[in-house]
Amino acid sequence: MRALIGAVALASCAVISAARLEDWRSDQALFAAATEVTPLFPAAALQRGAVALRYGQWWDAYAWTIRAAIFSEPRPEPPRYPGQPDWHTRVRGQLIWIDAALPVCDLPAARGWCSS
Amino acid sequence: MATVAIYAHSLSGESVYEDLRQPMTIAFGSRWISRVVVWLTQAVSMAPIAGRSVSLALHLVNGVLVWRLASAVLPELAGVFACALFLWHPLNTEAVAYAANQPELLVALFTLSALLLADRSRVLAWLACGCAVLAKEPGIAAFLLVPAWMAVRGRWSARACVVWIALSTLPALACWPMVAGHGNGLPVLHTVALNLSAIGWLLTKFVVPVGLTVLPDWWWLTPPAIGLCLAGWMFVYAIGAGIPAVSVVASFVLLSVLPRLLWVLPGGLREHHAYLATVALSVGAAGWLSSTHRSADASIRSL
């Protein structure tokens, strides 16, 4: 019985790992087509940049924020909930907030977002 | 071959996430050995596939070391199972598919080498532990895992363990700035409880590997949730009161992540941070399946 459990566990691990690494491959394609990135990634990157900033990880905050700005460039407006500000306003608000501690708005990738 | 087949999909393609700034990640702190590996890899090729292939090779070597380690305490077939579980487990995919996580693989390589070398030479084992620290700072856990491993198997006396740990003070002090420089404004006990809960949650993915993500969201780790997670750890040790092998595996898991309990990371803990801990879990699972935990329990009780 335990041998059967072991065999099933190993087979499950192999299948789930292969599926997860297939997702990884999709992420690679996603990064290659950065201008078509889904709205989720910039949000996660901005969130991570904000958390890094809170903990004083300056270079980490910097890297994630810039990445968010770059990947947020030409893209369609994502769906939003009632009362939620539009995507551009949200990215701009976060960038300006982070710019108070880091000069991110001086960077070419973020300049358009901060000034508009 | 099966491991290579599983990972084949992740080898090609563009760099993703932190691989985009891999040199910066590697350059952090005193990760000299990790830097050398990156330099050597990039001297051969700058393509993302080069770094990922090195990671996969390190993972395969670690699998062989897990097999050797498990075979020291379990039947041969159980050792093979532990090796396969470690190599194929989804929780380890982030550590391997991400070239930026090579330091974690190197820490495991040197820690496993130290555990195997401790039977032959304490000097070589100590040097291997030092290499683990030079791969990544949390490698300092190797200095604790070696005496624990030798004491559990009855190979070292309490005096030998104390002398070893005393000799490990210097590298531990060298790693201290890593911990001290990453305050989050929370009391130390809160930080430890937070990280202990996060690690506990990550390790539940070893049993139920669903919801894996490169960017775990820890917003839900409020004080009540932390309390529940800590209760989970107590429950594991309560089981361990009846089955000592469970306590031993849990203790090895805790020792392997001990430096992480004090280290505050901006994005919180991530799956690759549990890579070394999955060694103990793989061997523990193999022990349970081979029904040798009863004999292991008897040995532990006799110590």
Side-chain angles (χ1 to χ4, degrees):
Chain A
M1 183 60 186
R2 291 193 180 195
L4 182 65
I5 294 173
V8 170
L10 281 185
S12 306
C13 282
V15 169
I16 297 172
S17 289
R20 188 170 188 222
L21 291 164
E22 190 64 39
D23 285 346
W24 204 270
R25 176 109 180 137
S26 304
D27 284 351
Q28 289 167 350
L30 199 67
F31 269 67
T35 53
E36 294 172 5
V37 76
T38 67
L40 294 174
F41 182 72
L46 268 181
Q47 183 193 26
R48 184 163 175 162
V51 174
L53 185 72
R54 188 174 150 204
Y55 290 154
Q57 302 281 326
W58 304 111
W59 63 266
D60 211 9
Y62 188 85
W64 282 104
T65 306
I66 297 314
R67 202 174 303 167
I70 292 169
F71 290 148
S72 301
E73 275 305 343
R75 47 169 310 285
E77 177 69 16
R80 53 186 159 130
Y81 298 108
Q84 193 177 23
D86 66 79
W87 176 252
H88 190 279
T89 306
R90 274 187 283 163
V91 174
R92 183 169 175 268
Q94 294 248 20
L95 278 174
I96 288 173
W97 177 62
I98 290 172
D99 188 62
L102 281 170
V104 288
C105 287
D106 290 342
L107 290 159
R111 200 173 292 153
W113 285 96
C114 295
S115 60
S116 59
Chain B
M1 289 300 288
T3 308
V4 173
I6 289 169
Y7 278 89
H9 277 301
S10 68
L11 292 178
S12 57
E14 299 298 314
S15 292
V16 293
Y17 309 120
E18 291 180 356
D19 280 357
L20 293 165
R21 58 184 177 92
Q22 188 194 7
M24 197 190 287
T25 308
I26 298 293
F28 179 75
S30 56
R31 301 174 185 178
W32 294 102
I33 291 178
S34 300
R35 279 191 220 183
V36 169
V37 171
V38 169
W39 286 337
L40 289 175
T41 307
Q42 293 185 343
V44 175
S45 172
M46 292 290 285
I49 194 172
R52 292 190 191 123
S53 301
V54 170
S55 291
L56 181 56
L58 288 169
H59 187 50
L60 289 169
V61 173
N62 285 339
V64 172
L65 295 176
V66 168
W67 165 64
R68 291 286 306 276
L69 197 74
S71 298
V73 289
L74 299 175
E76 191 68 20
L77 196 59
V80 173
F81 177 84
C83 167
L85 189 59
F86 176 79
L87 285 174
W88 300 349
H89 202 282
L91 193 57
N92 287 339
T93 50
E94 186 193 309
V96 184
Y98 230 170
N101 291 340
Q102 264 174 22
E104 297 287 344
L105 306 179
L106 288 164
V107 165
L109 175 78
F110 290 117
T111 304
L112 289 165
S113 302
L115 294 172
L116 290 168
L117 284 167
D119 277 326
R120 298 180 187 176
S121 163
R122 291 181 195 187
V123 175
L124 288 178
W126 203 91
L127 288 175
C129 291
C131 288
V133 177
L134 290 176
K136 194 172 182 180
E137 302 80 359
I140 193 70
F143 282 104
L144 296 172
L145 287 166
V146 168
W149 171 246
M150 298 306 278
V152 162
R153 293 161 63 226
R155 299 292 176 93
W156 283 8
S157 63
R159 186 169 173 271
C161 293
V162 169
V163 170
W164 170 280
I165 290 171
L167 288 172
S168 310
T169 310
L170 193 62
L173 285 174
C175 290
W176 178 249
M178 165 196 86
V179 174
H182 289 76
N184 61 352
L186 294 174
V188 174
L189 273 179
H190 190 163
T191 300
V192 170
L194 192 72
N195 287 339
L196 195 56
S197 303
I199 285 167
W201 178 253
L202 277 181
L203 293 178
T204 60
K205 307 281 183 191
F206 188 84
V207 184
V208 187
V210 293
L212 297 167
T213 171
V214 290
L215 197 64
D217 204 343
W218 297 114
W219 63 268
W220 56 272
L221 271 180
T222 55
I226 291 173
L228 276 175
C229 290
L230 295 181
W233 277 108
M234 290 168 71
F235 179 68
V236 168
Y237 274 96
I239 294 173
I243 310 170
V246 172
S247 298
V248 170
V249 170
S251 299
F252 271 86
V253 165
L254 282 179
L255 283 177
S256 65
V257 296
L258 199 60
R260 295 273 174 209
L261 298 185
L262 287 170
W263 195 0
V264 180
L265 291 169
L269 288 160
R270 291 162 59 190
E271 288 160 19
H272 67 268
H273 298 142
Y275 185 75
L276 186 57
T278 60
V279 172
L281 293 173
S282 300
V283 176
W288 178 74
L289 283 170
S290 66
S291 301
T292 54
H293 69 85
R294 289 187 189 87
S295 56
D297 290 348
S299 318
I300 292 161
R301 281 201 179 96
S302 70
L303 288 174

Coordinates of all heavy atoms in Angstrom, one line a residue, chain B residues 60-76 78-84 86 112-113 115-117 119-120 149 153 279 283:
Chain B
L60 N 20.7 18.1 -10.1 CA 21.0 16.7 -10.3 C 22.0 16.2 -9.3 O 21.9 15.1 -8.7 CB 21.4 16.4 -11.7 CG 20.3 16.6 -12.8 CD1 20.9 16.5 -14.2 CD2 19.2 15.5 -12.6
V61 N 23.1 17.0 -9.2 CA 24.1 16.6 -8.2 C 23.6 16.5 -6.8 O 23.8 15.6 -6.0 CB 25.3 17.5 -8.3 CG1 26.4 17.2 -7.2 CG2 26.0 17.5 -9.6
N62 N 22.7 17.5 -6.4 CA 22.1 17.5 -5.1 C 21.2 16.3 -4.9 O 21.2 15.7 -3.8 CB 21.3 18.8 -4.9 CG 22.1 20.0 -4.7 OD1 23.3 19.9 -4.3 ND2 21.6 21.2 -5.0
G63 N 20.6 15.9 -6.0 CA 19.7 14.7 -5.9 C 20.6 13.5 -5.6 O 20.2 12.6 -4.7
V64 N 21.7 13.4 -6.2 CA 22.6 12.2 -5.9 C 23.1 12.3 -4.5 O 23.1 11.2 -3.8 CB 23.8 12.2 -6.9 CG1 24.9 11.2 -6.5 CG2 23.4 12.0 -8.3
L65 N 23.4 13.5 -4.0 CA 23.8 13.6 -2.6 C 22.7 13.3 -1.6 O 22.9 12.7 -0.6 CB 24.3 15.0 -2.3 CG 25.6 15.4 -3.1 CD1 25.9 16.9 -2.8 CD2 26.8 14.5 -2.7
V66 N 21.4 13.6 -2.0 CA 20.3 13.3 -1.1 C 20.2 11.7 -1.1 O 19.9 11.2 0.0 CB 19.0 13.9 -1.7 CG1 17.8 13.3 -1.0 CG2 19.0 15.4 -1.5
W67 N 20.4 11.1 -2.2 CA 20.3 9.6 -2.3 C 21.4 9.0 -1.3 O 21.1 8.1 -0.6 CB 20.5 9.2 -3.7 CG 20.8 7.7 -3.8 CD1 20.0 6.7 -3.5 CD2 22.0 7.1 -4.3 NE1 20.6 5.5 -3.7 CE2 21.9 5.7 -4.2 CE3 23.2 7.6 -4.8 CZ2 22.9 4.8 -4.6 CZ3 24.2 6.8 -5.1 CH2 24.1 5.4 -5.1
R68 N 22.6 9.6 -1.4 CA 23.7 9.1 -0.5 C 23.3 9.3 0.9 O 23.6 8.4 1.8 CB 25.0 9.8 -0.9 CG 25.6 9.5 -2.2 CD 26.2 8.1 -2.3 NE 27.2 7.8 -1.2 CZ 28.5 8.2 -1.3 NH1 28.9 8.8 -2.3 NH2 29.3 7.9 -0.3
L69 N 22.8 10.4 1.2 CA 22.5 10.8 2.6 C 21.3 9.9 3.1 O 21.4 9.3 4.2 CB 22.0 12.2 2.7 CG 22.0 12.9 4.0 CD1 23.4 13.2 4.5 CD2 21.2 14.2 4.0
A70 N 20.3 9.7 2.3 CA 19.2 8.9 2.7 C 19.6 7.4 2.9 O 19.1 6.7 3.8 CB 18.0 9.0 1.7
S71 N 20.5 7.0 2.0 CA 20.9 5.6 2.0 C 21.7 5.3 3.3 O 21.8 4.1 3.7 CB 21.8 5.3 0.8 OG 21.0 5.4 -0.3
A72 N 22.2 6.3 4.0 CA 22.9 6.1 5.2 C 22.0 5.7 6.4 O 22.4 5.1 7.3 CB 23.7 7.4 5.6
V73 N 20.7 6.1 6.2 CA 19.8 5.8 7.4 C 18.6 5.0 6.9 O 17.8 4.6 7.8 CB 19.3 7.2 8.0 CG1 20.4 7.8 8.8 CG2 18.8 8.1 7.0
L74 N 18.4 4.8 5.6 CA 17.2 4.1 5.1 C 17.6 3.0 4.2 O 18.7 3.0 3.7 CB 16.3 5.1 4.3 CG 15.7 6.3 5.1 CD1 15.0 7.2 4.1 CD2 14.8 5.9 6.2
P75 N 16.7 2.1 3.9 CA 17.0 1.0 2.9 C 17.3 1.6 1.6 O 16.9 2.8 1.3 CB 15.7 0.2 2.9 CG 15.0 0.5 4.1 CD 15.4 1.9 4.5
E76 N 18.0 0.9 0.7 CA 18.4 1.4 -0.6 C 17.3 2.0 -1.4 O 17.4 3.1 -2.0 CB 19.1 0.3 -1.4 CG 19.9 0.7 -2.6 CD 21.1 1.5 -2.3 OE1 21.6 1.5 -1.2 OE2 21.5 2.2 -3.2
A78 N 14.4 3.1 -0.5 CA 13.9 4.3 0.1 C 14.8 5.5 -0.2 O 14.3 6.6 -0.4 CB 13.7 4.2 1.7
G79 N 16.1 5.2 -0.3 CA 17.0 6.3 -0.6 C 16.8 6.8 -2.1 O 16.8 8.0 -2.3
V80 N 16.4 5.8 -2.9 CA 16.1 6.2 -4.3 C 14.8 7.0 -4.4 O 14.7 8.0 -5.1 CB 16.0 4.9 -5.2 CG1 15.5 5.3 -6.6 CG2 17.3 4.2 -5.3
F81 N 13.9 6.6 -3.5 CA 12.6 7.4 -3.5 C 12.8 8.8 -3.0 O 12.3 9.8 -3.6 CB 11.6 6.7 -2.6 CG 10.3 7.4 -2.4 CD1 9.3 7.3 -3.3 CD2 10.1 8.3 -1.3 CE1 8.1 8.0 -3.2 CE2 8.9 9.0 -1.2 CZ 7.9 8.9 -2.1
A82 N 13.6 9.0 -1.9 CA 14.0 10.3 -1.4 C 14.6 11.2 -2.5 O 14.3 12.3 -2.6 CB 14.9 10.2 -0.2
C83 N 15.5 10.6 -3.2 CA 16.2 11.3 -4.3 C 15.2 11.7 -5.4 O 15.2 12.9 -5.8 CB 17.3 10.3 -4.9 SG 18.0 10.9 -6.4
A84 N 14.3 10.8 -5.8 CA 13.4 11.2 -6.9 C 12.4 12.2 -6.4 O 12.0 13.2 -7.1 CB 12.6 9.9 -7.3
F86 N 12.9 14.5 -4.1 CA 13.6 15.8 -4.0 C 13.8 16.4 -5.4 O 13.6 17.6 -5.6 CB 15.0 15.6 -3.4 CG 15.8 16.8 -3.3 CD1 15.6 17.8 -2.4 CD2 16.9 17.0 -4.2 CE1 16.4 18.9 -2.4 CE2 17.6 18.1 -4.2 CZ 17.4 19.1 -3.3
L112 N 25.0 19.4 2.0 CA 24.9 17.9 1.8 C 26.3 17.3 1.8 O 26.5 16.2 2.4 CB 24.1 17.6 0.5 CG 22.6 17.9 0.6 CD1 22.0 17.9 -0.8 CD2 21.9 16.9 1.5
S113 N 27.2 18.0 1.2 CA 28.6 17.5 1.1 C 29.1 17.4 2.5 O 29.8 16.5 2.9 CB 29.5 18.3 0.3 OG 29.0 18.4 -1.0
L115 N 27.5 17.1 5.4 CA 26.9 16.1 6.1 C 27.5 14.7 5.8 O 27.7 13.9 6.7 CB 25.3 16.0 5.8 CG 24.5 17.3 6.3 CD1 23.1 17.2 5.8 CD2 24.5 17.3 7.8
L116 N 27.8 14.5 4.5 CA 28.4 13.2 4.1 C 29.9 13.2 4.5 O 30.4 12.1 4.8 CB 28.2 13.1 2.6 CG 26.8 12.8 2.1 CD1 26.7 13.0 0.6 CD2 26.3 11.5 2.5
L117 N 30.6 14.3 4.5 CA 32.0 14.3 4.8 C 32.2 14.2 6.3 O 33.3 13.7 6.7 CB 32.6 15.6 4.3 CG 32.9 15.7 2.8 CD1 33.3 17.1 2.4 CD2 34.0 14.7 2.4
D119 N 31.4 12.1 8.4 CA 31.7 10.8 8.8 C 33.2 10.5 8.7 O 33.8 9.7 9.4 CB 30.9 9.7 8.0 CG 29.6 9.5 8.6 OD1 29.4 9.6 9.8 OD2 28.6 9.3 7.8
R120 N 33.8 11.2 7.7 CA 35.2 10.9 7.3 C 36.2 11.9 8.0 O 37.2 11.5 8.5 CB 35.4 10.9 5.8 CG 34.6 9.8 5.1 CD 34.9 9.9 3.6 NE 34.0 9.0 2.9 CZ 33.9 9.0 1.6 NH1 34.7 9.7 0.9 NH2 33.1 8.1 1.0
W149 N 23.1 16.2 12.8 CA 23.0 14.9 12.0 C 23.9 13.9 12.7 O 23.5 12.7 12.8 CB 23.5 15.3 10.6 CG 23.8 14.1 9.6 CD1 25.0 13.8 9.1 CD2 22.9 13.2 9.1 NE1 24.9 12.7 8.3 CE2 23.6 12.3 8.2 CE3 21.5 13.0 9.2 CZ2 23.0 11.3 7.5 CZ3 20.9 12.0 8.4 CH2 21.7 11.1 7.6
R153 N 22.6 10.3 14.9 CA 23.1 9.0 14.5 C 24.1 8.4 15.5 O 24.6 7.3 15.3 CB 23.7 9.1 13.1 CG 22.7 9.4 12.0 CD 23.3 9.9 10.7 NE 24.2 8.9 10.2 CZ 25.4 9.2 9.7 NH1 25.9 10.4 9.8 NH2 26.1 8.2 9.2
V279 N 15.1 18.7 1.6 CA 15.9 17.5 1.8 C 15.4 16.7 3.0 O 15.2 15.5 2.8 CB 17.4 17.9 2.0 CG1 18.2 16.7 2.4 CG2 18.0 18.6 0.8
V283 N 13.6 12.9 2.8 CA 14.1 11.8 3.5 C 13.1 11.3 4.5 O 12.9 10.1 4.7 CB 15.5 12.1 4.2 CG1 16.0 10.9 5.0 CG2 16.5 12.5 3.2

